[in-house]
Amino acid sequence: MTTPLLRGLNPEQLAAVTLPHESALILAGAGSGKTRVLTTRIAWLIQSGQASPSGIFAVTFTNKAAKEMLARLGALLPINTRGMWIGTFHGLANRMLRAHHREAGLPALFQILDSADQLGAIKRLLKALNVDDEKYPPKQLQHFINGCKEQGLRAQKVEAFDPYTRKQQELYAAYDEQCQREGVVDFAELLLRCHELLLHETALRRHYQSRFQHILVDEFQDTNHLQYQWLKLLAGEQAAVFAVGDDDQSIYAFRGARVGNMADFERDFHVKEIIRLEQNYRSHGNILDAANALIRHNQSRLGKNLWTAEGSGEPIRVFEAHSDYEEAGFIVDEVKALQREGIPLSGIALLYRSNAQSRVLEHALFNAAVPYRVYGGLRFFERQEIKHALAYLRLIGNSDDDGALLRVLNFPARGVGARSLESLQEIARSEGVSLWQAAQLKRLGGKAGVAIQGFSALVENMREACAALPLAEQVEHMLEQSGLLAHYKNEKEGADRLENLNELINAAAAFELEYSREAGEEDVDPLTAFLSHASLEAGEHQAIAGQEALQLMTVHAAKGLEFHAVFLSGLEEGLFPHENSSREKDGVEEERRLMYVAITRARRRLYLSYADSRMLHGQQRYGIASRFLEELPPSLLKRINRDSAPQPMQRPATRAESAGASGWHIGQAVSHPKFGPGIIINSEGRGADARVQVSFSHAGVKWLALEYARLEAV
């Protein structure tokens, strides 16, 4: 049967779209047209009479993807897509539960708790049961409950080998009872309750198995244990499951995604042949060849090889910087060069492994007046944990700052409720004083009064201690004493926030050194100046809606997107791959998949950069290039020489006393604590700008700034 529907499909796409009634695994590489294949498959089944619109069940992960699928389908066929079962896992589970709420044991108008609502419900539960929320932090309990549900486990089935887990198990059971009593369900409950509904209601299960003879799944590599079990239950023995995914782009293990579901699917559904969509319509050949070479180092993969008919294109540019500041300066200059070539800022992306890396990059863009937008996240100085930290610093500098006090008086929680806060505000209004001054009147009694006095003493102690400390150490002291570090350490997903708080120490160190060199500012103390700097960077150069802007984002946030040019920064061991990956099973393989995703975001030009030294936790650290760079074929790379690169933004000198180039000479044997033995082969600059080039026996040739090089003569 020839039809306009199939025109323009390549042979592999055509084979996938026109498969007979059998379960199939479609390995769809990046940029291979998987959404087109998925929607065309649905249209083909309907047009050829193999299925009615009501007999199709198609599931994906985001509302955006589901809407796009429906829109494309409506453009392909003259049908009403309104009643079709096409949506997200949670959306379709909700629809089924609404239709069968009695069988599911739910009220007709059950309400759904979002993440914030669920956390509030857990806090209420702990309070009602008089449970210490410091020993059992609400967010940690939320993570435990959702993790159990995503594994398909009710409280009574959770294995508890220690008293702490047994208590969490009890609280999980109590939480379920509370939700049932109130007629509410959380997101994880939607799918678990729907799975249980189909499992226990035989007639209902057979009805849906008979109705949905064709089940299609998008982004199959991102499914977790429960989602896979639900699909197996819904499919039964007769349905054909069309699973589209890419095991090389499975990067959400931290959310529960299980890449092994793809191999299990091949076995469980007796897949005869895997169809590989390998022709890429996005990137030039050199970019794809680099991605292919990289991902081959992963052992547990189904295997495919991306190719394009578009030609090889330009080589991949690699830049080694002395420091993270030089790296940022290089990126800014290259972005401006791309603009001069006519590439719009919206077609350029700057990617990084961790959110904390954005601070130095944002600073460079701010100074260069390059508009940018942080995609899928907040600018550094706008992030919640940074705003909390800045509020404490504002109070240290000015205790009458009511806005700062209101933000952190009860964060981390110290027992000051809304009613007590209202009473404090009323005292302040009646006396015509600030909230801080009202607190010193000591008119509030009880637990809240004690907590407020304890908070006042905390701020006073921090102010006294910080008076004699350099700015970066003030920030470090405040983070420890305020309880912010301890608070986020207790959060299951607080690692990113801790990285951002540590980056705030770096920001303070860099600012203080920059600030000390500026003239005419002697009358303003460094803390006040730093707070002003933070406010300015948070509030200016923000790209307004519709304005051309450079796109900044983590690699995770970049999945599914594509850009004319991509910069991938921070390619150092410990950053990318992340240091945590070595402690996790298959951690490095997932990091390599993440790198694969980053590379395949680029259409025409790709820049990879790393720095020999980087500020971490307020101190200069030396790193080595990521192993992933070594896994790329040298023939695909063009290494940009520092001398030929645009002049970088200079990192401010450190407080350490400069050794001066005169203390060293070419040919001198030296030793470095990180790089080992070496020979000085070149030198330049004087005083704070002095640096030497060293040929190390094991680490190659590197430029080192003498101020913090820690070289020793041998």
Side-chain angles (χ1 to χ4, degrees):
M1 176 181 179
T2 59
T3 168
L5 198 65
L6 305 180
R7 285 185 194 144
L9 296 177
N10 66 40
E12 292 75 26
Q13 291 174 333
L14 181 63
V17 166
T18 58
L19 273 169
H21 188 274
E22 62 184 44
S23 291
L25 180 58
I26 314 300
L27 268 188
S32 63
K34 74 174 179 63
T35 305
R36 182 185 182 188
V37 166
L38 200 61
T39 51
T40 307
R41 168 70 174 172
I42 296 172
W44 165 257
L45 290 171
I46 295 171
Q47 189 184 71
S48 61
Q50 297 178 61
S52 66
S54 62
I56 299 285
F57 188 94
V59 60
T60 187
F61 277 85
T62 67
N63 288 317
K64 180 183 176 183
K67 287 176 182 176
E68 182 182 354
M69 206 181 297
L70 286 166
R72 289 198 187 195
L73 193 58
L76 290 172
L77 291 178
I79 60 171
N80 183 1
T81 61
R82 191 181 181 104
M84 293 185 70
W85 284 70
I86 296 177
T88 65
F89 277 97
H90 293 113
L92 295 175
N94 173 54
R95 182 172 173 179
M96 198 172 286
L97 289 174
R98 296 286 177 192
H100 308 286
H101 62 89
R102 289 189 186 86
E103 294 92 334
L106 291 169
L109 300 177
F110 68 84
Q111 298 298 309
I112 300 172
L113 302 177
D114 63 18
S115 183
D117 293 334
Q118 183 190 27
L119 186 62
I122 289 171
K123 288 177 179 178
R124 283 192 290 109
L125 175 76
L126 295 178
K127 187 173 182 180
L129 297 177
N130 199 27
V131 174
D132 184 354
D133 61 6
E134 291 189 3
K135 186 174 182 182
Y136 297 94
K139 280 201 173 182
Q140 191 170 318
L141 183 58
Q142 181 184 36
H143 186 84
F144 173 80
I145 291 171
N146 290 341
C148 291
K149 289 186 178 186
E150 287 167 2
Q151 289 296 315
L153 299 174
R154 288 293 180 195
Q156 62 271 22
K157 291 187 178 180
V158 176
E159 293 185 354
F161 299 105
D162 58 80
Y164 190 86
T165 309
R166 277 195 292 275
K167 184 63 177 179
Q168 286 184 310
Q169 181 187 27
E170 291 173 16
L171 293 171
Y172 173 17
Y175 167 78
D176 263 359
E177 290 171 7
Q178 175 180 287
C179 288
Q180 187 66 30
R181 200 165 52 243
E182 297 176 1
V184 297
V185 297
D186 54 54
F187 266 56
E189 180 70 19
L190 282 171
L191 205 60
L192 179 55
R193 186 72 66 107
C194 194
H195 178 265
E196 291 172 341
L197 173 69
L198 293 176
L199 187 64
H200 301 308
E201 297 292 330
T202 305
L204 202 60
R205 180 175 70 252
R206 287 175 178 167
H207 162 74
Y208 281 112
Q209 287 176 345
S210 174
R211 176 177 178 175
F212 297 129
Q213 288 293 294
H214 292 275
I215 297 174
L216 301 96
V217 190
D218 190 19
E219 303 286 6
F220 190 79
Q221 77 279 352
D222 294 336
T223 53
N224 63 28
H225 174 80
L226 180 59
Q227 288 162 343
Y228 181 55
Q229 295 304 316
W230 183 59
L231 289 169
K232 282 178 65 177
L233 198 58
L234 188 63
E237 297 293 326
Q238 303 302 319
V241 180
F242 189 85
V244 182
D246 183 0
D247 59 332
D248 291 334
Q249 294 189 76
S250 181
I251 59 174
Y252 295 119
F254 66 96
R255 292 183 188 168
R258 185 175 176 272
V259 68
N261 284 350
M262 299 192 80
D264 289 350
F265 176 82
E266 186 181 3
R267 181 189 66 249
D268 295 343
F269 285 83
H270 312 293
V271 173
K272 295 177 183 177
E273 181 183 3
I274 296 177
I275 295 179
R276 290 170 168 81
L277 305 183
E278 298 174 306
Q279 184 173 358
N280 178 282
Y281 296 93
R282 175 189 300 160
S283 307
H284 275 162
N286 284 338
I287 292 170
L288 298 179
D289 289 346
N292 290 330
L294 174 87
I295 205 64
R296 284 192 200 104
H297 287 80
N298 275 4
Q299 300 300 312
S300 51
R301 58 188 294 261
L302 297 171
K304 65 182 180 310
N305 197 65
L306 297 178
W307 64 276
T308 181
E310 293 295 311
S312 298
E314 302 176 23
I316 296 166
R317 292 158 170 83
V318 179
F319 181 68
E320 177 187 3
H322 295 302
S323 67
D324 46 351
Y325 268 65
E326 185 180 61
E327 178 189 42
F330 165 76
I331 290 170
V332 167
D333 287 327
E334 286 294 318
V335 166
K336 288 183 173 181
L338 288 169
Q339 282 187 283
R340 289 193 294 272
E341 291 178 25
I343 310 302
L345 283 175
S346 57
I348 307 171
L350 172 47
L351 310 184
Y352 36 81
R353 173 62 180 84
S354 302
N355 271 310
Q357 291 171 247
S358 79
R359 203 271 309 168
V360 170
L361 300 167
E362 288 187 57
H363 182 68
L365 293 166
F366 173 84
N367 285 344
V370 176
Y372 67 91
R373 184 176 291 111
V374 178
Y375 182 92
L378 296 170
R379 291 163 175 259
F380 182 79
F381 285 109
E382 294 171 345
R383 292 167 190 162
Q384 178 205 80
E385 61 277 14
I386 298 301
K387 281 186 168 290
H388 287 327
L390 293 175
Y392 275 107
L393 292 174
R394 282 161 56 189
L395 282 176
I396 290 171
N398 173 21
S399 55
D400 291 328
D401 186 333
D402 282 1
L405 188 141
L406 286 170
R407 186 175 190 94
V408 295
L409 176 60
N410 199 43
F411 193 92
R414 49 178 58 89
V416 182
R419 189 170 299 175
S420 299
L421 189 54
E422 287 173 9
S423 298
L424 184 63
Q425 289 174 308
E426 181 55 40
I427 294 170
R429 278 193 295 269
S430 64
E431 296 294 331
V433 296
S434 68
L435 290 174
W436 176 271
Q437 291 169 349
Q440 310 317 306
L441 298 175
K442 301 181 180 179
R443 292 185 186 173
L444 289 179
K447 182 182 177 182
V450 173
I452 290 172
Q453 295 313 308
F455 175 78
S456 297
L458 170 68
V459 174
E460 288 288 5
N461 289 338
M462 286 195 296
R463 180 181 295 120
E464 185 178 335
C466 288
L469 296 174
L471 181 58
E473 292 178 33
Q474 289 184 46
V475 176
E476 192 169 13
H477 179 81
M478 175 276 298
L479 292 175
E480 286 284 354
Q481 297 304 310
S482 65
L484 288 176
L485 292 181
H487 173 81
Y488 290 117
K489 280 176 185 172
N490 283 328
E491 279 195 356
K492 272 288 184 181
E493 299 175 4
D496 277 354
R497 298 193 190 278
L498 288 172
E499 284 188 6
N500 287 334
L501 290 175
N502 282 319
E503 183 58 29
L504 185 63
I505 302 173
N506 298 341
F511 175 81
E512 185 174 23
L513 295 161
E514 224 170 32
Y515 175 73
S516 66
R517 295 184 172 189
E518 294 180 2
E521 298 286 349
E522 294 82 359
D523 56 332
V524 180
D525 67 280
L527 176 58
T528 301
F530 177 63
L531 291 170
S532 298
H533 158 79
S535 298
L536 289 170
E537 287 218 0
E540 291 188 6
H541 294 291
Q542 304 221 27
I544 59 176
Q547 180 187 5
E548 276 294 317
L550 179 69
Q551 308 296 301
L552 268 67
M553 66 193 78
T554 64
V555 181
H556 279 103
K559 186 173 180 290
L561 304 177
E562 58 182 74
F563 302 91
H564 180 96
V566 169
F567 292 83
L568 179 56
S569 62
L571 279 170
E572 299 134 44
E573 286 292 307
L575 272 182
F576 202 177
H578 195 279
E579 59 187 351
N580 293 342
S581 64
S582 61
R583 299 193 289 268
E584 299 167 0
K585 184 184 178 184
D586 301 325
V588 173
E589 291 215 346
E590 172 137 345
E591 289 287 296
R592 190 175 284 108
R593 292 195 292 268
L594 194 57
M595 177 75 172
Y596 176 86
V597 167
I599 291 173
T600 54
R601 297 313 93 198
R603 292 198 295 263
R604 296 295 178 262
R605 194 173 292 183
L606 176 63
Y607 295 83
L608 307 176
S609 62
Y610 62 102
D612 294 337
S613 65
R614 188 177 295 274
M615 287 283 281
L616 292 172
H617 313 306
Q619 296 181 339
Q620 200 72 25
R621 301 289 178 89
Y622 297 90
I624 57 174
S626 168
R627 70 189 74 180
F628 298 152
L629 283 170
E630 297 175 4
E631 294 172 0
L632 303 179
S635 60
L636 302 176
L637 309 180
K638 176 184 178 181
R639 295 193 175 268
I640 300 176
N641 188 291
R642 283 198 184 100
D643 297 331
S644 63
Q647 287 300 308
M649 177 181 69
Q650 295 297 321
R651 166 181 289 288
T654 65
R655 286 192 298 272
E657 188 175 327
S658 173
S662 59
W664 306 93
H665 60 269
I666 294 173
Q668 185 173 6
V670 294
S671 178
H672 186 275
K674 175 76 174 180
F675 304 127
I679 300 291
I680 294 177
I681 58 174
N682 200 357
S683 68
E684 66 180 29
R686 291 182 175 278
D689 297 321
R691 60 179 189 158
V692 292
Q693 190 177 33
V694 183
S695 176
F696 290 103
S697 302
H698 307 296
V701 177
K702 296 187 180 295
W703 277 100
L704 301 176
L706 280 173
E707 285 188 310
Y708 41 80
R710 296 181 293 170
L711 286 176
E712 292 183 3
V714 176

